[in-house]
Amino acid sequence: QVQLVESGGGLVQPGGSLRLSCAASGFTFSWYWMYWVRQAPGKGLEWVASINEGGDGTNYANPMKGRFTISRDNGRNMLYLQMNNLKPEDTAVYYCVKEWPGTPPGKGTLVTVSS
């Protein structure tokens, strides 16, 4: 059974940083592209970033380019999202997923950017 458990969210001031983590189990993590997606209050799911199986290929949604960095550790079955220069519009629940488009299986982690 696929399990993806996100952590690392919290309250941060504009301009601040957070690092999100996702622990994966129940599938061969290193075989899959992985994605971060988010859902802002009252809005639908939005793709944030993706990373290929080996971790040497990444893609970002335009608003995140230059601010967010996706990475992975296949030895530990972990996915990460380093978020810098956070803005109030980044406030959302963040999910890691192994299929996109799709429904996140995890509960996500809430990021709130506010002064």
Side-chain angles (χ1 to χ4, degrees), residues 77-97:
N77 289 356
M78 294 293 294
L79 181 72
Y80 303 101
L81 186 68
Q82 176 68 43
M83 305 186 296
N84 298 328
N85 190 22
L86 282 160
K87 304 175 181 181
E89 52 264 42
D90 294 318
T91 294
V93 177
Y94 285 72
Y95 303 90
C96 62
V97 297

Side-chain angles (χ1 to χ4, degrees), residues 2 15-16 25 30 35 37 39 43 50 63 72 75 81 88 94 97 100 102:
V2 172
S25 62
S30 61
Y35 309 85
V37 301
Q39 187 166 26
K43 297 188 177 181
S50 55
R72 68 191 296 164
L81 186 68
Y94 285 72
V97 297
W100 181 254

Side-chain angles (χ1 to χ4, degrees), residues 18-79:
L18 281 176
R19 188 193 194 207
L20 306 184
S21 300
C22 171
S25 62
F27 65 103
T28 306
F29 181 72
S30 61
W31 288 5
Y32 290 87
W33 280 70
M34 292 296 296
Y35 309 85
W36 284 100
V37 301
R38 69 185 185 184
Q39 187 166 26
K43 297 188 177 181
L45 285 169
E46 174 188 26
W47 169 70
V48 172
S50 55
I51 188 167
N52 69 358
E53 299 92 331
D56 58 352
T58 58
N59 296 290
Y60 299 90
N62 284 336
M64 293 73 170
K65 286 181 180 177
R67 300 189 300 123
F68 290 11
T69 303
I70 188 172
S71 62
R72 68 191 296 164
D73 184 338
N74 285 342
R76 297 181 178 179
N77 289 356
M78 294 293 294
L79 181 72

